[in-house]
Amino acid sequence: MSGELSGLNADGGLDLATVDGAILFGRYAFPPQRLGYCGPDDHQAVFDYTVRQRSDSGLVELERRFEGAYPYLRLIALATRIASPFDHRVVEAYWIGNETLERVSESPFYESLRERFQGRMDSRTFGWLASKLEHGARPHHNFHVFDVYTKAGLMRDRAADIRLETMDNCRISWGTVVAVDGAELVVSREPLTLRDGKIALGPARTTRVLRQIEGQGFVEDPRPGDAVSIHWNWACERLSPARLAWLRANTCRALALANQTV
């Protein structure tokens, strides 16, 4: 992509779509970053930018260093001819899903997977992964969790329960707020489960997720009945019915694709 980031306004600053997208990215990238799973070491900077709802080139530079997620943003932007990988449409496509995600065709997605992952898998496993593109795979975070993370068959391992829990935390999930308890939300959420050897969403159960650190977080004034997105036990944002539907649809699609090779 020429210039790598061209979401600039006439004054050389970030345009509004890129500002909004970089903040949205922070909502979802911060939870695993603070646990040391991905991204640069300075998770406090990402948190501060996101809480304050402001963005500049400093945040974008930090977010480019998320080696798992950022290549997907570049892929989506290139495949849909959107100038900036941090355009709000691109970021939302990757974490939640939207119309932009549906415009990513098979060929550039295949090339991205081949470049990034073929060398980490044997030929049979990569063939399984690549075959999912023929069945509608999209570069969504939950596809990465269910299909790339598992390397097309990992769930056969006897330690599947441990990996299932990891996938459940790593995927973008959703829950309905039942109660607000200080820095935590009590939510009703459908966990991943194994059903007849396949990965599925289980019956909803009540659990707790973190919403604040030292009185600051990303979901302001939550109320019972609100739908929120969740990543690594952290409440990322409030979801509208339409965005919740996109997330659920992309999760179900990724699960169906993963179950082809479980």
Side-chain angles (χ1 to χ4, degrees):
M1 181 176 295
S2 61
E4 189 66 19
L5 175 70
S6 52
L8 305 176
N9 58 33
D11 298 324
L14 302 183
D15 63 30
L16 183 59
T18 300
V19 169
D20 289 347
I23 293 169
L24 180 64
F25 186 89
R27 289 177 179 270
Y28 291 92
F30 167 74
Q33 183 195 18
R34 81 181 184 94
L35 297 173
Y37 295 149
C38 61
D41 292 335
D42 194 359
H43 68 271
Q44 188 63 47
V46 173
F47 182 76
D48 291 342
Y49 272 114
T50 306
V51 164
R52 295 171 187 171
Q53 297 287 289
R54 66 180 181 85
S55 174
D56 57 30
S57 59
L59 177 58
V60 168
E61 289 303 320
L62 284 170
E63 293 178 342
R64 280 177 175 163
R65 292 161 62 189
F66 283 81
E67 296 179 354
Y70 182 62
Y72 283 111
L73 301 189
R74 292 192 72 249
L75 163 65
I76 296 168
L78 281 167
T80 58
R81 300 181 181 275
I82 294 176
S84 168
F86 289 100
D87 185 289
H88 187 275
R89 294 168 293 177
V90 172
V91 176
E92 183 181 64
Y94 175 66
W95 295 114
I96 300 294
N98 58 25
E99 294 87 349
T100 298
L101 188 69
E102 303 308 306
R103 292 164 44 204
V104 179
S105 61
E106 183 177 327
S107 178
F109 192 12
Y110 174 84
E111 288 303 315
S112 178
L113 292 175
R114 182 187 61 77
E115 179 181 343
R116 296 179 66 193
F117 303 117
Q118 188 175 33
R120 303 182 188 181
M121 305 176 184
D122 59 46
S123 59
R124 181 186 181 194
T125 300
F126 182 77
W128 278 346
L129 179 64
S131 71
K132 296 172 189 283
L133 275 64
E134 302 174 7
H135 301 283
R138 295 290 186 273
H140 187 274
H141 178 73
N142 288 353
F143 171 80
H144 177 81
V145 172
F146 298 148
D147 292 271
V148 178
Y149 168 79
T150 59
K151 294 181 173 60
L154 189 63
M155 292 302 295
R156 291 176 180 165
D157 191 276
R158 287 178 295 177
D161 56 334
I162 298 173
R163 294 190 176 95
L164 186 69
E165 181 181 0
T166 302
M167 286 193 294
D168 201 19
N169 285 321
C170 188
R171 73 181 174 109
I172 307 304
S173 63
W174 59 89
T176 302
V177 176
V178 175
V180 181
D181 186 9
E184 295 183 329
L185 296 178
V186 181
V187 301
S188 177
R189 176 182 177 273
E190 298 168 272
L192 290 185
T193 187
L194 283 177
R195 184 181 301 150
D196 298 326
K198 302 295 185 180
I199 314 169
L201 294 174
R205 65 187 184 196
T206 301
T207 189
R208 288 175 174 268
V209 298
L210 193 63
R211 75 178 183 97
Q212 289 182 334
I213 298 174
E214 296 181 352
Q216 294 185 311
F218 304 158
V219 181
E220 296 295 327
D221 301 320
R223 298 181 180 182
D226 286 348
V228 295
S229 54
I230 301 164
H231 196 197
W232 285 105
N233 204 46
W234 175 267
C236 301
E237 63 172 332
R238 190 178 283 104
L239 294 174
S240 68
R243 297 176 79 229
L244 175 58
W246 275 111
L247 179 55
R248 178 181 282 277
N250 278 285
T251 300
C252 291
R253 174 164 58 186
L255 281 173
L257 290 168
N259 284 325
Q260 292 176 357
T261 46
V262 166

